[in-house]
């Protein structure tokens, strides 16, 4: 789960990573009062999670408090790359002599945390690693031992820092690692980490992604889903869904099979409306809810249910699909493919209710794609 | 031969008294797996389908020293502790079925397993099956048939789909390993490919990947560099997935400049691996190689 910049900054502050003074505002009134509290130039930053906020006009510098409040007023309620701005952050303007990069990620291949550092900050680190890998240092950390002193020295040296700046950078890296571990981060990134004219290091932006699977030990970050309508509804019902722009609704069991189902529909010339995984062992009521959700979706013309029964029972699925289809399926078409546990019973229920079951995923996908044409 | 599990596998089920634990213990026994004992702290002395339950792994191993494998089905917040307990009791294979294990926990127990000379499969995986010998997992056993195709996969049901297609075509599987859908998993493609390379029974390998991370690209590099001696057929799920969206599995996300399906297909093709565009095509390609 991505944190907003202001949440990341708050964590930085808590973990002893220097950040400029800042205030978060949610209304124009608040913005007016807040702007006055920060002397001098103010950076006004829309709090959104989409990437490329700066280029989309979400970051502006205001010379005066009045101007800052005005900019915030314009940003609040507007949309940046489709995401509504509900909060705006004011930070004191930081004079920058040089920008550095410092981040820690979970490296999937090494199965360990990896510190990433560069003396060139303010750019996209993935891009920099591609174009000039010699400017990016990656240091694998043993998850059982944590960051060692020699690793800290190596990173600091690579960033080209010495004296007081080296000490500051070492402290920041140790604190960032502590944050990364204690808050169960997938990513904790300071970009840029700025050197100011008075030789201080300051984190100018924050990017923190917390592992959703660890939220049970970080209740403070639990918040309502940030997905679209369908995704939010699905989450409330306990499913994982992702909305796409097509018209073939997709229900599958298991993430891999559901993705493969989407891919197959696309391959057969159809356009998937969504990804919806009912998970393992879904009972009748669960399948009914999932089916209702898609059948009532305005863009969905055909619902394609693809079930491979292991712990999931085909008869339960059939009952769920049938009752949803009877209740809200008017004007919509439905294609069901099922195989596995209690397959015969499931197919019988479907046939009795006028739904022709398919054996082959490929044929079913082809039919679903054809029905919308 | 086969890999990881066979007739000699003696299984301990951690979380054996839970709803899922009981269901799958029964299903494994029915399949012929030798489930020797179960563990649930505080439930020692009970029996699940005749399987004795103990309070700790140490007790279970003391009473049943033949145990060599553990299957973990305890809830995510306690999964890491369960894995460490089995590793400290000297077990060499721990299959972690549990979904939603925090990635920091996984990094720790996976690193620890390497110091204990043990293997972790998962988390968030369907387990391992050597057809007609033993299944340590939650897959429906009847769709598998003993044969010469090794399967290694990040997915569960998609593996069943492809395994079933292989079985229906008259071929069979040596061992199927579900490595798990999480960003960080124990055994990965390369390690399982290496095991299949040394396994006389495995003649061909199917690699089932999906979007997210770069394990497929790394596997392709390994296949190319080592001149992998057995034909490999690939399948990548999620070719139509949008970026920055998690597709069900915690690890299935195109993000931070990695995980794009085209890059995986390209890398595999360059390593001489034919990549199927549908599960059925896997069978066609297997017959052709």
């Amino acid at each position: 789960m991505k944190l907003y910049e202001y949440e990341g900054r708050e964590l930085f502050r808590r973990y002893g990573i220097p950040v400029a003074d800042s205030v978060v505002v949610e209304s124009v009134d608040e913005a007016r009062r807040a702007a006055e509290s920060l002397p001098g130039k103010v950076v006004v930053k829309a709090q959104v999670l989409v990437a490329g906020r700066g280029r989309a006009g979400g970051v502006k510098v205001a010379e005066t408090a009045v101007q800052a409040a005005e900019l915030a007023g314009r940003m609040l309620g507007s949309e940046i790359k489709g995401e509504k701005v509900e909060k705006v952050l004011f930070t004191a303007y930081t004079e920058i002599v040089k920008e550095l990069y410092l981040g820690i990620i979970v490296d999937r291949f090494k199965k360990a945390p990896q510190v990433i550092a560069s003396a060139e900050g303010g750019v996209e680190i993935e891009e920099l690693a591609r174009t000039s890998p010699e400017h990016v240092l990656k240091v694998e950390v043993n998850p059982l031992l944590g960051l060692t002193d020699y690793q800290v020295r190596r990173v600091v040296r690579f960033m080209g820092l010495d004296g007081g700046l080296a000490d500051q950078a070492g402290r920041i890296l140790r604190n960032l690692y502590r944050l990364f571990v204690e808050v169960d981060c997938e990513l904790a990134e300071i970009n840029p980490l700025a050197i100011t004219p008075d030789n201080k290091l300051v984190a100018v932006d924050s990017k923190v992604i917390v592992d959703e699977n660890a939220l049970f030990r970080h209740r403070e970050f639990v918040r309502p889903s940030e997905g679209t309508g369908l995704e939010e509804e699905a989450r409330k019902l306990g499913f994982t869904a992702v909305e796409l722009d097509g018209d073939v609704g997709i229900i599958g069991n298991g993430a891999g099979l559901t993705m493969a189902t989407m891919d197959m529909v696309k391959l057969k010339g159809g356009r998937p409306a969504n990804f919806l995984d009912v998970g393992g062992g879904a009972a009748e009521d669960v399948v009914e809810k999932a089916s209702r959700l898609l059948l009532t979706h305005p863009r969905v013309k055909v619902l394609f249910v693809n079930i491979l029964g292991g712990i999931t029972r085909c008869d339960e699925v059939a009952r769920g699909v049938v009752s949803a289809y009877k209740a809200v399926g008017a004007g919509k078409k439905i294609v069901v493919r099922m195989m596995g546990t209690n397959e015969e019973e499931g197919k019988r229920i479907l046939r009795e209710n006028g739904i022709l079951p398919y054996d082959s995923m490929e044929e079913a996908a082809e039919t679903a794609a054809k029905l919308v044409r | 031969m086969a890999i990881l599990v066979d007739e000699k596998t003696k299984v301990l089920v951690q979380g054996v008294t839970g709803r899922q634990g009981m269901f799958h213990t029964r299903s494994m026994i029915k399949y012929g797996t030798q489930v020797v004992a179960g563990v649930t702290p505080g439930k020692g002395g009970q029996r699940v389908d005749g399987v004795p339950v103990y309070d700790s792994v140490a007790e279970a191993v003391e009473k049943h020293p033949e145990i060599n494998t553990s299957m973990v089905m305890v809830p995510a917040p306690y999964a890491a502790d369960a894995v460490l307990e089995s590793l400290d009791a000297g077990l060499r294979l721990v299959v972690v079925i549990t979904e939603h294990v925090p990635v920091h926990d996984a990094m720790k127990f996976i690193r620890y397993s390497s110091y204990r000379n043990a293997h972790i499969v998962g988390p968030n995986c369907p387990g391992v099956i050597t057809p007609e010998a033993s299944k340590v997992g939650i897959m429906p056993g009847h769709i598998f048939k003993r044969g010469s195709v090794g399967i290694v996969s990040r997915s569960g049901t998609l593996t069943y789909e492809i395994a079933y297609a292989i079985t229906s075509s008259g071929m069979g599987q040596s061992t199927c390993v579900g490595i798990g859908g999480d960003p960080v998993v124990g055994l990965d493609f390369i390690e399982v490919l290496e095991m299949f390379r040394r396994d006389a029974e495995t003649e061909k390998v199917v690699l089932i990947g999906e979007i997210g991370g770069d394990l497929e690209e790394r596997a392709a590099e390994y296949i190319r560099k080592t001149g992998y001696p057995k034909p490999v057929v690939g399948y990548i799920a999620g070719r139509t997935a949008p970026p920055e969206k998690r597709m069900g599995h915690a690890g299935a996300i195109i993000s931070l400049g990695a995980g794009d399906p085209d890059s995986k297909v390209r890398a595999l093709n360059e390593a001489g691996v034919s990549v199927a565009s549908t599960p059925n095509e896997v069978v066609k390609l297997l017959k052709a190689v």
Side-chain angles (χ1 to χ4, degrees), chain B residues 170-202:
Chain B
M171 292 182 282
Q173 307 86 24
S174 52
T175 301
C176 302
V177 187
I179 60 172
D182 276 359
V184 170
V185 291
L187 288 183
D188 58 25
F189 285 130
I190 294 178
E191 290 160 300
V192 177
L193 282 169
E194 185 58 28
M195 290 177 184
F196 280 139
R197 188 176 67 78
R198 288 179 308 214
D199 175 42
E201 195 180 334
T202 304

mmCIF file of all heavy atoms in Angstrom, chain B residues 170-202:
data_model
loop_
_atom_site.group_PDB
_atom_site.id
_atom_site.type_symbol
_atom_site.label_atom_id
_atom_site.label_comp_id
_atom_site.label_asym_id
_atom_site.label_seq_id
_atom_site.Cartn_x
_atom_site.Cartn_y
_atom_site.Cartn_z
ATOM 1 N N GLY B 170 -2.479 -37.618 -22.472
ATOM 2 C CA GLY B 170 -1.808 -38.909 -22.373
ATOM 3 C C GLY B 170 -0.425 -38.833 -21.737
ATOM 4 O O GLY B 170 0.168 -39.847 -21.411
ATOM 5 N N MET B 171 0.066 -37.604 -21.570
ATOM 6 C CA MET B 171 1.362 -37.466 -20.889
ATOM 7 C C MET B 171 1.105 -37.388 -19.380
ATOM 8 O O MET B 171 -0.024 -37.397 -18.921
ATOM 9 C CB MET B 171 2.088 -36.202 -21.357
ATOM 10 C CG MET B 171 2.539 -36.266 -22.818
ATOM 11 S SD MET B 171 3.458 -34.776 -23.317
ATOM 12 C CE MET B 171 2.141 -33.612 -23.574
ATOM 13 N N GLY B 172 2.186 -37.281 -18.610
ATOM 14 C CA GLY B 172 2.019 -37.163 -17.168
ATOM 15 C C GLY B 172 3.119 -36.304 -16.575
ATOM 16 O O GLY B 172 3.962 -35.772 -17.303
ATOM 17 N N GLN B 173 3.112 -36.165 -15.253
ATOM 18 C CA GLN B 173 4.056 -35.276 -14.580
ATOM 19 C C GLN B 173 4.988 -36.067 -13.650
ATOM 20 O O GLN B 173 4.569 -37.017 -13.006
ATOM 21 C CB GLN B 173 3.303 -34.221 -13.747
ATOM 22 C CG GLN B 173 2.248 -33.429 -14.514
ATOM 23 C CD GLN B 173 0.897 -34.142 -14.558
ATOM 24 O OE1 GLN B 173 0.591 -34.955 -13.705
ATOM 25 N NE2 GLN B 173 0.086 -33.839 -15.564
ATOM 26 N N SER B 174 6.236 -35.627 -13.583
ATOM 27 C CA SER B 174 7.178 -36.221 -12.621
ATOM 28 C C SER B 174 6.903 -35.602 -11.253
ATOM 29 O O SER B 174 6.504 -36.281 -10.320
ATOM 30 C CB SER B 174 8.619 -35.970 -13.063
ATOM 31 O OG SER B 174 8.837 -34.604 -13.318
ATOM 32 N N THR B 175 7.072 -34.297 -11.155
ATOM 33 C CA THR B 175 6.713 -33.567 -9.941
ATOM 34 C C THR B 175 6.197 -32.193 -10.365
ATOM 35 O O THR B 175 6.671 -31.629 -11.344
ATOM 36 C CB THR B 175 7.933 -33.370 -9.019
ATOM 37 O OG1 THR B 175 8.467 -34.650 -8.663
ATOM 38 C CG2 THR B 175 7.564 -32.635 -7.735
ATOM 39 N N CYS B 176 5.207 -31.667 -9.634
ATOM 40 C CA CYS B 176 4.740 -30.309 -9.872
ATOM 41 C C CYS B 176 5.025 -29.497 -8.617
ATOM 42 O O CYS B 176 4.601 -29.874 -7.527
ATOM 43 C CB CYS B 176 3.243 -30.256 -10.127
ATOM 44 S SG CYS B 176 2.759 -31.264 -11.513
ATOM 45 N N VAL B 177 5.736 -28.399 -8.800
ATOM 46 C CA VAL B 177 6.087 -27.548 -7.675
ATOM 47 C C VAL B 177 5.421 -26.183 -7.855
ATOM 48 O O VAL B 177 5.705 -25.472 -8.821
ATOM 49 C CB VAL B 177 7.619 -27.339 -7.586
ATOM 50 C CG1 VAL B 177 7.976 -26.582 -6.310
ATOM 51 C CG2 VAL B 177 8.357 -28.662 -7.653
ATOM 52 N N GLY B 178 4.534 -25.825 -6.935
ATOM 53 C CA GLY B 178 3.959 -24.482 -6.925
ATOM 54 C C GLY B 178 4.849 -23.635 -6.034
ATOM 55 O O GLY B 178 4.848 -23.811 -4.819
ATOM 56 N N ILE B 179 5.627 -22.737 -6.641
ATOM 57 C CA ILE B 179 6.607 -21.997 -5.835
ATOM 58 C C ILE B 179 5.978 -20.836 -5.077
ATOM 59 O O ILE B 179 6.589 -20.276 -4.171
ATOM 60 C CB ILE B 179 7.807 -21.492 -6.674
ATOM 61 C CG1 ILE B 179 7.337 -20.551 -7.793
ATOM 62 C CG2 ILE B 179 8.608 -22.659 -7.228
ATOM 63 C CD1 ILE B 179 8.477 -19.863 -8.529
ATOM 64 N N GLY B 180 4.727 -20.472 -5.455
ATOM 65 C CA GLY B 180 4.033 -19.437 -4.697
ATOM 66 C C GLY B 180 3.899 -18.123 -5.445
ATOM 67 O O GLY B 180 4.719 -17.801 -6.299
ATOM 68 N N GLY B 181 2.853 -17.378 -5.093
ATOM 69 C CA GLY B 181 2.536 -16.139 -5.793
ATOM 70 C C GLY B 181 2.996 -14.879 -5.078
ATOM 71 O O GLY B 181 2.593 -13.779 -5.429
ATOM 72 N N ASP B 182 3.829 -15.040 -4.065
ATOM 73 C CA ASP B 182 4.290 -13.864 -3.325
ATOM 74 C C ASP B 182 5.544 -13.272 -3.957
ATOM 75 O O ASP B 182 6.240 -13.945 -4.710
ATOM 76 C CB ASP B 182 4.575 -14.250 -1.865
ATOM 77 C CG ASP B 182 3.311 -14.213 -1.017
ATOM 78 O OD1 ASP B 182 2.248 -13.873 -1.555
ATOM 79 O OD2 ASP B 182 3.398 -14.511 0.194
ATOM 80 N N PRO B 183 5.851 -12.005 -3.627
ATOM 81 C CA PRO B 183 7.050 -11.384 -4.198
ATOM 82 C C PRO B 183 8.328 -12.122 -3.795
ATOM 83 O O PRO B 183 9.248 -12.234 -4.590
ATOM 84 C CB PRO B 183 7.060 -9.972 -3.614
ATOM 85 C CG PRO B 183 5.729 -9.736 -3.032
ATOM 86 C CD PRO B 183 5.085 -11.065 -2.793
ATOM 87 N N VAL B 184 8.384 -12.604 -2.572
ATOM 88 C CA VAL B 184 9.568 -13.333 -2.121
ATOM 89 C C VAL B 184 9.139 -14.746 -1.749
ATOM 90 O O VAL B 184 8.287 -14.932 -0.880
ATOM 91 C CB VAL B 184 10.227 -12.629 -0.915
ATOM 92 C CG1 VAL B 184 11.305 -13.511 -0.315
ATOM 93 C CG2 VAL B 184 10.812 -11.282 -1.333
ATOM 94 N N VAL B 185 9.702 -15.727 -2.444
ATOM 95 C CA VAL B 185 9.379 -17.122 -2.154
ATOM 96 C C VAL B 185 10.669 -17.903 -1.939
ATOM 97 O O VAL B 185 11.749 -17.476 -2.354
ATOM 98 C CB VAL B 185 8.559 -17.768 -3.295
ATOM 99 C CG1 VAL B 185 7.177 -17.163 -3.359
ATOM 100 C CG2 VAL B 185 9.269 -17.666 -4.638
ATOM 101 N N GLY B 186 10.539 -19.056 -1.298
ATOM 102 C CA GLY B 186 11.709 -19.882 -0.999
ATOM 103 C C GLY B 186 12.350 -20.405 -2.271
ATOM 104 O O GLY B 186 13.117 -19.708 -2.930
ATOM 105 N N LEU B 187 12.040 -21.642 -2.646
ATOM 106 C CA LEU B 187 12.574 -22.160 -3.906
ATOM 107 C C LEU B 187 12.036 -21.301 -5.040
ATOM 108 O O LEU B 187 10.855 -20.990 -5.078
ATOM 109 C CB LEU B 187 12.135 -23.610 -4.103
ATOM 110 C CG LEU B 187 12.788 -24.671 -3.214
ATOM 111 C CD1 LEU B 187 12.287 -26.054 -3.612
ATOM 112 C CD2 LEU B 187 14.305 -24.611 -3.306
ATOM 113 N N ASP B 188 12.912 -20.929 -5.980
ATOM 114 C CA ASP B 188 12.434 -20.169 -7.125
ATOM 115 C C ASP B 188 12.615 -20.999 -8.395
ATOM 116 O O ASP B 188 13.022 -22.157 -8.345
ATOM 117 C CB ASP B 188 13.116 -18.797 -7.203
ATOM 118 C CG ASP B 188 14.625 -18.898 -7.300
ATOM 119 O OD1 ASP B 188 15.121 -19.930 -7.769
ATOM 120 O OD2 ASP B 188 15.310 -17.936 -6.902
ATOM 121 N N PHE B 189 12.290 -20.381 -9.533
ATOM 122 C CA PHE B 189 12.359 -21.131 -10.793
ATOM 123 C C PHE B 189 13.717 -21.793 -10.986
ATOM 124 O O PHE B 189 13.812 -22.961 -11.347
ATOM 125 C CB PHE B 189 12.092 -20.202 -11.984
ATOM 126 C CG PHE B 189 10.651 -19.817 -12.151
ATOM 127 C CD1 PHE B 189 10.273 -18.488 -12.316
ATOM 128 C CD2 PHE B 189 9.660 -20.794 -12.159
ATOM 129 C CE1 PHE B 189 8.945 -18.137 -12.486
ATOM 130 C CE2 PHE B 189 8.326 -20.448 -12.328
ATOM 131 C CZ PHE B 189 7.971 -19.115 -12.489
ATOM 132 N N ILE B 190 14.776 -21.028 -10.747
ATOM 133 C CA ILE B 190 16.118 -21.539 -11.041
ATOM 134 C C ILE B 190 16.438 -22.762 -10.186
ATOM 135 O O ILE B 190 16.929 -23.771 -10.686
ATOM 136 C CB ILE B 190 17.176 -20.436 -10.828
ATOM 137 C CG1 ILE B 190 16.959 -19.321 -11.854
ATOM 138 C CG2 ILE B 190 18.594 -21.001 -10.921
ATOM 139 C CD1 ILE B 190 17.895 -18.145 -11.728
ATOM 140 N N GLU B 191 16.131 -22.673 -8.892
ATOM 141 C CA GLU B 191 16.448 -23.804 -8.011
ATOM 142 C C GLU B 191 15.663 -25.054 -8.393
ATOM 143 O O GLU B 191 16.195 -26.169 -8.352
ATOM 144 C CB GLU B 191 16.192 -23.411 -6.551
ATOM 145 C CG GLU B 191 17.221 -22.399 -6.065
ATOM 146 C CD GLU B 191 16.752 -21.623 -4.849
ATOM 147 O OE1 GLU B 191 15.711 -20.933 -4.931
ATOM 148 O OE2 GLU B 191 17.411 -21.715 -3.812
ATOM 149 N N VAL B 192 14.391 -24.867 -8.770
ATOM 150 C CA VAL B 192 13.589 -26.037 -9.146
ATOM 151 C C VAL B 192 14.053 -26.576 -10.508
ATOM 152 O O VAL B 192 14.144 -27.790 -10.703
ATOM 153 C CB VAL B 192 12.083 -25.701 -9.145
ATOM 154 C CG1 VAL B 192 11.266 -26.903 -9.601
ATOM 155 C CG2 VAL B 192 11.633 -25.270 -7.749
ATOM 156 N N LEU B 193 14.389 -25.669 -11.432
ATOM 157 C CA LEU B 193 14.915 -26.123 -12.730
ATOM 158 C C LEU B 193 16.177 -26.959 -12.519
ATOM 159 O O LEU B 193 16.388 -27.974 -13.176
ATOM 160 C CB LEU B 193 15.235 -24.918 -13.630
ATOM 161 C CG LEU B 193 14.045 -24.242 -14.317
ATOM 162 C CD1 LEU B 193 14.471 -22.914 -14.939
ATOM 163 C CD2 LEU B 193 13.441 -25.151 -15.384
ATOM 164 N N GLU B 194 17.000 -26.509 -11.583
ATOM 165 C CA GLU B 194 18.243 -27.227 -11.282
ATOM 166 C C GLU B 194 17.933 -28.638 -10.751
ATOM 167 O O GLU B 194 18.576 -29.611 -11.132
ATOM 168 C CB GLU B 194 19.042 -26.396 -10.263
ATOM 169 C CG GLU B 194 20.415 -26.915 -9.909
ATOM 170 C CD GLU B 194 21.354 -27.057 -11.096
ATOM 171 O OE1 GLU B 194 21.209 -26.307 -12.084
ATOM 172 O OE2 GLU B 194 22.220 -27.950 -11.045
ATOM 173 N N MET B 195 16.906 -28.739 -9.908
ATOM 174 C CA MET B 195 16.512 -30.063 -9.395
ATOM 175 C C MET B 195 15.994 -30.941 -10.530
ATOM 176 O O MET B 195 16.311 -32.126 -10.595
ATOM 177 C CB MET B 195 15.428 -29.915 -8.321
ATOM 178 C CG MET B 195 15.941 -29.294 -7.033
ATOM 179 S SD MET B 195 14.567 -29.078 -5.863
ATOM 180 C CE MET B 195 15.422 -28.232 -4.544
ATOM 181 N N PHE B 196 15.190 -30.360 -11.407
ATOM 182 C CA PHE B 196 14.669 -31.129 -12.549
ATOM 183 C C PHE B 196 15.804 -31.572 -13.479
ATOM 184 O O PHE B 196 15.754 -32.637 -14.072
ATOM 185 C CB PHE B 196 13.643 -30.307 -13.339
ATOM 186 C CG PHE B 196 12.269 -30.277 -12.727
ATOM 187 C CD1 PHE B 196 11.519 -29.098 -12.701
ATOM 188 C CD2 PHE B 196 11.700 -31.435 -12.190
ATOM 189 C CE1 PHE B 196 10.246 -29.067 -12.147
ATOM 190 C CE2 PHE B 196 10.415 -31.412 -11.639
ATOM 191 C CZ PHE B 196 9.695 -30.224 -11.616
ATOM 192 N N ARG B 197 16.822 -30.730 -13.590
ATOM 193 C CA ARG B 197 17.951 -31.070 -14.458
ATOM 194 C C ARG B 197 18.604 -32.373 -13.988
ATOM 195 O O ARG B 197 18.966 -33.228 -14.782
ATOM 196 C CB ARG B 197 18.991 -29.942 -14.442
ATOM 197 C CG ARG B 197 20.110 -30.102 -15.462
ATOM 198 C CD ARG B 197 21.050 -28.906 -15.444
ATOM 199 N NE ARG B 197 21.817 -28.803 -14.206
ATOM 200 C CZ ARG B 197 22.887 -29.533 -13.922
ATOM 201 N NH1 ARG B 197 23.336 -30.398 -14.793
ATOM 202 N NH2 ARG B 197 23.515 -29.382 -12.769
ATOM 203 N N ARG B 198 18.705 -32.513 -12.664
ATOM 204 C CA ARG B 198 19.383 -33.693 -12.117
ATOM 205 C C ARG B 198 18.461 -34.890 -11.969
ATOM 206 O O ARG B 198 18.888 -35.972 -11.619
ATOM 207 C CB ARG B 198 19.985 -33.345 -10.748
ATOM 208 C CG ARG B 198 21.201 -32.427 -10.865
ATOM 209 C CD ARG B 198 21.732 -32.110 -9.498
ATOM 210 N NE ARG B 198 20.641 -31.611 -8.668
ATOM 211 C CZ ARG B 198 20.770 -30.687 -7.735
ATOM 212 N NH1 ARG B 198 21.943 -30.184 -7.463
ATOM 213 N NH2 ARG B 198 19.745 -30.268 -7.048
ATOM 214 N N ASP B 199 17.148 -34.688 -12.206
ATOM 215 C CA ASP B 199 16.192 -35.775 -11.998
ATOM 216 C C ASP B 199 16.026 -36.600 -13.272
ATOM 217 O O ASP B 199 15.557 -36.092 -14.297
ATOM 218 C CB ASP B 199 14.844 -35.187 -11.564
ATOM 219 C CG ASP B 199 13.779 -36.256 -11.459
ATOM 220 O OD1 ASP B 199 14.101 -37.347 -10.933
ATOM 221 O OD2 ASP B 199 12.644 -36.028 -11.911
ATOM 222 N N ALA B 200 16.384 -37.869 -13.183
ATOM 223 C CA ALA B 200 16.356 -38.732 -14.371
ATOM 224 C C ALA B 200 14.942 -38.905 -14.921
ATOM 225 O O ALA B 200 14.748 -39.078 -16.116
ATOM 226 C CB ALA B 200 16.953 -40.090 -14.010
ATOM 227 N N GLU B 201 13.949 -38.845 -14.045
ATOM 228 C CA GLU B 201 12.580 -39.081 -14.488
ATOM 229 C C GLU B 201 12.011 -37.916 -15.305
ATOM 230 O O GLU B 201 11.126 -38.090 -16.147
ATOM 231 C CB GLU B 201 11.699 -39.335 -13.250
ATOM 232 C CG GLU B 201 10.360 -39.944 -13.596
ATOM 233 C CD GLU B 201 9.510 -40.191 -12.352
ATOM 234 O OE1 GLU B 201 10.080 -40.356 -11.250
ATOM 235 O OE2 GLU B 201 8.283 -40.218 -12.498
ATOM 236 N N THR B 202 12.507 -36.713 -15.034
ATOM 237 C CA THR B 202 11.993 -35.537 -15.730
ATOM 238 C C THR B 202 12.675 -35.378 -17.086
ATOM 239 O O THR B 202 13.892 -35.259 -17.161
ATOM 240 C CB THR B 202 12.230 -34.272 -14.872
ATOM 241 O OG1 THR B 202 11.621 -34.467 -13.598
ATOM 242 C CG2 THR B 202 11.655 -33.037 -15.535
#
